[in-house]
Structure formats: C-alpha cells, structure tokens
Amino acid sequence: MTEPQLIVSPDWLANHLEDSNIVIVDCRFSLANPKLGQQQYQDSHIPGAFYLDLDQDLSSPIQKHGGRHPLPNPEKLAAKLSEIGITSQQTLVVAYDDSRFAFASRLWWLLRYYGHEKVVLLDGGFSQWKNSGYPISSEIPSAQFGQFTPQIHPEMLVNIETVKARKDLPGVVVVDSREPECYLGKTEPIDPIAGCIPGAVNYPWQEVTESTGFVKINEQSQRWEKIKEAEEIIVYCGSGVTACVNLLSLELAGIHHAQLYGGSWSDWCSYLIEEQK
C-alpha cells in the first residue's frame, strides 16, 4: 500500500477498508452537546471505526489554568490507542469527524505530537462518506491489540509563558484561529472574557475547508503567503482544538514549524480574570 499524505478521499478509504494495517477513528463531537458524537457513532459510523471522545479521550480534566481542553495524559491516551489496535510507527490511522476537521484534526495533531506520523484525515468527513454511497454500520468493533508508545515532540507545543515572552519579537507571528467576531472581541460564546492575544493575526479555521467539509487543497499555500517567511508561528483558538485545523493547513502549505498554544484563549483569559480581581 502506498502511504497517503495528510488527506485521503472517501474513494481511497473505501478501497482500503479491509487493510489490516489501518485503524479508522471516529472523532465526531459537539461542544454544545458533548454526548452527541458518541450517540451519532453508536447509531452509524464507517465500518470498523472506533470512537474517541474529545472530552474523555483527547483531553484531560479542566484545571484552574490550562484551558478548556488540556492535552490528555500521554500514558492514558497511549493505553486507549493501544486498545483500538494502533501500534507506534506502524499503523496508519484515518481520522474523521463531521465538523470540517474541527475534532479529527485534534487527534491528527496529538498523534504527531506523540511521534506517530502515520495519520491522515478523511476529506469531507462522515457526511461525504455517506453521501458517496459507501457502507455505514452500527456494529461496535471488538478491542484490538496494538502497542502505542508516546515519543513526545515538545517543540510542537508552547505554553502561556512562551507566548508572552515571544509574541512581540521580530519574526514571530501569533495566529488566532477563531471566527473574526471572537478575534475582534465583539462576541465570546464560551469563555468569560472576549478579545484576543495582543498582536495576533486572524486566520479563521473554517476557511481551510469548503462548506461541504472538503479541504481546499490548492488554496493552502496562498492562504499563508503573508506569514510564510516567519521564523516562528504560534497558533491558538479557543481551547487548542480547532487551532489544529490551521496547523493542518500550514502543513499542507509546506510550513512545518508552526506550534500550538495548547491552552489557547481559554487559558490566556483565565489569567486576565485573576488580574481583574
């Protein structure tokens, strides 16, 4: 099997459903209804797919600081990945959601952060798979036996101290991935304070894909033209989830050194709240 790069089509996956070296992961989720993704998965999913939940599997419990979706405990996630048949450096993981990569890209980024490069995203997500007439299933697959060992790449992640220290330096660009209204501080649907990190530029994550969920493959390089020469690119969103869609976009554009501010705005504003007291 020729290894695909970053994105696979529904046609490609349909032709490789029986490949024993592929594990498919359903990442559907709703911030407004955290139980919805699990319910959707149980109702219907791509045959053989396992489910990973943003809150339960791809994040750790919320603390005072660190944001609304802190990174998961590496050992706990590694155990879960092993249970669904993923072996480090061997298994090709195909992740999908139904939210224009909003949640599948979190798994994509986490696997790469843990040293597993063999991970791709399903173009168009579950809707396009279903609309293409490919099979769906409600059968929950049995546990598999993989061996996932995290090999963390700390250079891919920054914390608030690093952002504060570096955001105003020449050659450093901070990218806000949220909708323009949130970036401009006109609205804030989740966090207690509206606004953005001073000096950040706005690249809304939804622009990476069409409304149908398909990635705009040919437009990614042009999208980042203004900042492609930056020495450092730090990307954030509300809680470190949808920023991963922009990190995917940067990878598609051939820009490989961008970093995630894991806590993102929810972490940043948690300190602003303390300052206001």
Side-chain angles (χ1 to χ4, degrees), residues 162-183:
T162 300
V163 178
K164 286 182 174 180
R166 306 199 63 80
K167 68 183 183 65
D168 298 320
L169 297 178
V172 178
V173 175
V174 178
V175 173
D176 187 314
S177 305
R178 298 171 299 161
E179 296 86 344
E181 292 78 11
C182 292
Y183 165 72

Side-chain angles (χ1 to χ4, degrees), residues 22 24-25 35 48 86 96 129 141 154 164 171 185 200 236 242 262 264 276:
I22 290 178
I24 306 169
V25 181
K35 295 182 179 180
I86 300 174
Y96 72 88
W129 171 270
K164 286 182 174 180
Y236 78 95
T242 54
S264 288
Q276 293 177 358

